[in-house]
Amino acid sequence: MSKPLILDPRTKLGVVLVIGFLIFGSTVTQLLLLFSVTALYGFLNGVRRSLPIYVLILLLYFLSDYFASETRNILFVSLAFFSYFIVCFLPALLAGEVLVRTPAGQLMSALTAWHLPKTIIVAFSVSLRFVPIAGMEIRSIHEVMKQRGVAFFSRTGWLHPWRVFECALVPLMIRLLKISDELTASAITRGAEAPIRRTSVHEIKFHFCDYAVILLLLILTFVLLVRR
Amino acid sequence: MRKKFLGIRDVVTIAIFTAAIMMIGSALSKVFGVLSFLTAGGAILVSGAVISFLTAPLFLLMVLKVGKHGAIFLHSILYGFIFLLAGLPHMVIFYALVGLIGEAMMMPRGSGYRHVFRSGLACSVFLSVKSLHPAAILWIIGNYNPQGVHGYTAAQIAKMMDIYFNPITVGLIFVLTFVGSAIGSFAGARLLRRHFVKSGILQINE
Amino acid sequence: MTNKRADPMIQLKNIYVRSRQEVPIINNFSLSVASGELVVLSGPSGSGKSTIIRLINGLAYMDEALVIEGTAEMNGQSIEAMASWERSERVGSVFQDPRSQFFTSVVGDELAFYCENFGMRPETIKKRVHQAAIEQKLMTLLDHRIMTLSSGEKQKVAIAAVRVARQTIYVLDEPSSNLNLAATLQLADLLGKWKAAGHTIVLAEHRLHYLSDLLDRMIYVRAGQAMRSFSKEELVMLPAEQLAESGLRQTRFIWRASNNRRTMPQNIHQVSINQLSINGWSVGETLLHDLTFSIRSGEVVMLTGSNGIGKTSLARVLCGLSGKSEGTIMIDGRPVPRRKRSQQIRYVMQEADYQLFGQSVWDELFIGIKEDDVQVPRAQQLLRELDLWALRDRHPSTLSGGEKQRVTLAAALMSAAPIIILDEPTSGLDWHSLEKAAECLKREAGKGRIFLVITHDYELISQAGTRLIHLRDRVISDDFLLDENSSARVLALLTQDEP
């Protein structure tokens, strides 16, 4: 396997922005073009595992679309209806996946380069890092609830919904408050309030491939907009 | 005593709650996504209500804990940012607007934050406007993307669009979500009083 | 000033701290620490040690819930008057739980966080990160994701992330509570190096064994007051009984195997595990292989082994939370399917916060249990035994870490489950609570319960254990009954774990 391209996070962000708006108002053919371009872009950037899934969704759409016009069965029609929406978003999801795979540190450096206030950078970095952790916290709480017989889908769950509501939310709230306290302490004792403009250990620079990607993106946008 | 602007502590609190709310929202959306396949879209109507019901207490706690202007806006922007990373940049614009609406709810007489009822109301409005977003996006796509390789599907999609996105349906989603988040805020407020106000973790104005 | 030496580095004078609800936390506390000194604050949990640490690093001044009186100075400058970033340049703070201190997902970025905040140039940042990483032996881990590290490694990252600032004062709040013995010894090593370099160090800590050679003074804190100060010599000379009386943990490893080992009750329950394999997250990965053992009523089995070896995974499989296993689990001679196991096997997780739902300690014990004539006296007795009676009306979230741990233990003991698995139940406990908890375990075991305790805590093993199972290289490497002569073997097993 070849090594993924090394792109500036700003380029990746630009791709997301442009593709995100291009998907509106595109015909199916244009969406297909967008999809293949972003699929190639994703492939070069190391998105490999989820590509087959996206292709499958695309196939699902075409299949259900075909069966819908052949059989006029309501099942296929609604399948086509919903998969069509997902297909519309596929190019954007691909561009997003490339961006998400960027290490948080590099993303931060892009924000730093744009002179965003420190609090915003910290907020962004914290929420980004915390999304997977929040999932783990919720899972752990549900496991304890199961053990103590107050899980969502248990007898108590049906009989005493308020109890379950309370048992699910209170530990989560307490955890969240505690984590915010600890994280704040950690931030403050590491100079997060210093009134100095942040720098970044990652030096981000535009390279040849960045310019190439941007150029191609511009051409694509031009072509698509002209054809409308 | 109380600083006017958001400090590091507030920002971290908002960021963490945002992540948790996001996580719950996306997990439930997945469930409802599957359900709407099974119920031919019926689940979409209640998905916003259920998600808001469950996240309203967290939202309320966040707003009351931070207790400063800007909390809702920052929360909203962060929410949008996370969507941006998933490849949906237009969400940032939408969420900035929703955030402003939420902030506006808290504007009058400055004492809005830390006031339970006001926060609960702002929370309900915020969450119900927010819940329109997926519908709005789908509506734009459905109406402005010339679709369907086969004529029949195109016609069907147009028909289904009419069923799912006529003003009544959208209004219904809004109202249901508002009710869901209002109940959620009410229950959340009760929860906060029982567990957090009594033990001194949280100070609120009734 | 009564100080003989040069100006003290840290000077706390007549400090009073109370909460907004007028609950006193610190009462007239004074402390002066000279440059280059290593001072340990120890005492029962909830005595205010952490608050003193937070006074020195200034966090207490930013807490709106606290009212503080008295003067606190660092190098002659008022700590309160300093800006938070000025404090962070001088005082490095290491906290108890390293998991929730990180801002980025990669080790190298985390170490750079401080320097980035101070707007340093990338070359300078790299140099500092490099140096801190070498000191903490993290060079090979710099581009690893923090989530994948062991708690010992996380603690090192947390320390290195502070160390890049090159402060001269360090405060540490129970740094060893999430570490195993090997990692704790590494921490002791590091503290020794810092001390040799002339840094001033203040620790709040329960575990004294790894500090007794390093410390200059130990301040015994109780109810927010400095009750007594011990020099190193005085502390080492203190008899174990007197330490225990003050609620302090031991200063060296003393084996107390003699008292009531194996008071085997009538054989009521038995859990047998036959050829059990535990699978990891990725396909085809086996964490533990072909485990076969059985435990009978009355036994308190200590389960030890390195971090990440699969102790917690084993516990999760046993209580039915996880199905990633092959093999049979029999209770009282009958195989029990996964769904049924949670009623018989109760698992108490390491993190107490997840497990507290109630609005008071009392309420907590009655979640899922009816408040009737049988259960109420049991709850009363349990709360008294675990020293929680006075706290019965408090909201669990307002308790200290050690107190929460005892509440989760009490809640588990309230359940009808004959088998109870505890995961690191004593990480935040002082000696007094540890002893109480150990007694409680032994008593309940005598009544016919089975305990499986995942732990690194030598003192707990010595106090409560009747048998030890050590996991190594995916199998049970040691399984023996604990008696008067097991001390050396236990210590050897604990120190050979990976840090």
Side-chain angles (χ1 to χ4, degrees), chain B residues 120-170:
Chain B
L121 191 67
C123 158
S124 309
V125 172
F126 176 83
L127 289 174
S128 18
V129 179
K130 198 171 94 174
S131 75
L132 291 182
H133 183 243
I137 286 287
L138 295 188
W139 187 77
I140 296 174
I141 289 258
N143 277 292
Y144 294 103
N145 280 22
Q147 69 279 81
V149 204
H150 295 87
Y152 184 77
T153 320
Q156 276 299 314
I157 284 179
K159 207 169 170 188
M160 288 190 111
M161 286 300 300
D162 275 348
I163 299 171
Y164 289 117
F165 300 109
N166 61 42
I168 299 170
T169 325
V170 174

Side-chain angles (χ1 to χ4, degrees), chain A residues 158-179:
Chain A
W158 303 116
L159 293 177
H160 308 280
W162 163 256
R163 193 77 190 156
V164 175
F165 181 74
E166 194 176 17
C167 288
L169 282 173
V170 170
L172 180 64
M173 287 170 161
I174 287 174
R175 272 302 286 173
L176 294 180
L177 287 178
K178 192 175 166 207
I179 291 171

Side-chain angles (χ1 to χ4, degrees), chain C residues 352-387:
Chain C
D353 286 313
Y354 298 131
Q355 308 172 58
L356 300 173
F357 306 134
Q359 50 173 333
S360 69
V361 171
W362 181 259
D363 192 31
E364 193 61 50
L365 299 195
F366 287 99
I367 285 177
I369 292 169
K370 271 217 177 74
E371 248 181 292
D372 59 24
D373 296 345
V374 187
Q375 302 296 350
V376 169
R378 271 189 71 206
Q380 287 172 344
Q381 194 198 347
L382 269 176
L383 288 179
R384 289 218 174 84
E385 280 169 10
L386 285 167
D387 240 3

Side-chain angles (χ1 to χ4, degrees), chain C residues 111-143:
Chain C
L111 300 200
F113 184 77
Y114 174 91
C115 308
E116 291 176 346
N117 282 329
F118 278 87
M120 292 181 194
R121 300 160 57 79
E123 311 86 72
T124 326
I125 299 179
K126 278 178 191 145
K127 220 166 73 195
R128 287 208 179 198
V129 167
H130 187 78
Q131 222 162 17
I134 285 179
E135 188 185 70
Q136 292 295 317
K137 304 194 179 68
L138 287 172
M139 280 315 282
T140 50
L141 297 176
L142 273 183
D143 46 10

Side-chain angles (χ1 to χ4, degrees), chain C residues 284-298:
Chain C
E285 182 197 6
T286 319
L287 285 173
L288 295 168
H289 197 66
D290 275 352
L291 303 182
T292 302
F293 61 92
S294 87
I295 312 177
R296 292 187 304 155
S297 269

Side-chain angles (χ1 to χ4, degrees), chain A residues 13 16-17 20-21 23-28 61-62 65 68-69 72 77-82 84-85 88-89 92-93 96 99-100 119-120 123-124 126-128 130-131 134-135 138 162 165-166 169-170 172-174 176-177 179-181 183-184 187 192-193, chain B residues 6 8-9 11-13 15-17 19-20 23-24 36-37 41 44 53-54 57-58 61 65 74 78 81-82 84-90 93 137-138 140-142 144-150 152-153 156-157 160-161 164 187 190-192 194-196 201:
Chain A
L13 205 60
V16 167
L17 284 175
F21 285 101
I23 57 170
F24 291 104
S26 292
T27 62
V28 172
Y61 166 65
F62 282 117
D65 177 67
S69 6
R72 315 207 158 188
V77 173
S78 59
L79 211 59
F81 179 63
F82 286 109
Y84 172 69
F85 284 121
C88 285
F89 284 105
L93 291 181
L99 183 63
V100 159
T119 43
I120 297 285
F124 191 43
V126 168
S127 52
L128 207 61
F130 200 73
V131 170
I138 292 167
W162 163 256
F165 181 74
E166 194 176 17
L169 282 173
V170 170
L172 180 64
M173 287 170 161
I174 287 174
L176 294 180
L177 287 178
I179 291 171
S180 350
D181 270 353
L183 213 52
T184 309
E193 290 185 312
Chain B
L6 298 176
I8 279 282
R9 177 179 295 275
V11 165
V12 168
T13 309
I16 282 173
F17 275 84
M23 193 64 219
I24 294 176
S36 43
F37 258 112
I44 286 182
F53 171 71
L54 284 173
L58 291 177
L61 175 60
K65 177 78 187 163
L74 182 60
L78 284 178
F81 262 143
I82 297 175
L84 170 78
L85 286 186
L88 306 170
H90 33 267
I93 304 168
I137 286 287
L138 295 188
I140 296 174
I141 289 258
Y144 294 103
N145 280 22
Q147 69 279 81
V149 204
H150 295 87
Y152 184 77
T153 320
Q156 276 299 314
I157 284 179
M160 288 190 111
M161 286 300 300
Y164 289 117
R190 207 178 132 194
L191 213 69
L192 295 184
R194 267 160 67 97
H195 288 273
F196 296 88
I201 299 172

Side-chain angles (χ1 to χ4, degrees), chain B residues 73-95:
Chain B
F73 186 67
L74 182 60
H75 162 76
S76 198
I77 285 283
L78 284 178
Y79 219 95
F81 262 143
I82 297 175
F83 272 113
L84 170 78
L85 286 186
L88 306 170
H90 33 267
M91 292 275 197
V92 179
I93 304 168
F94 176 79
Y95 275 103

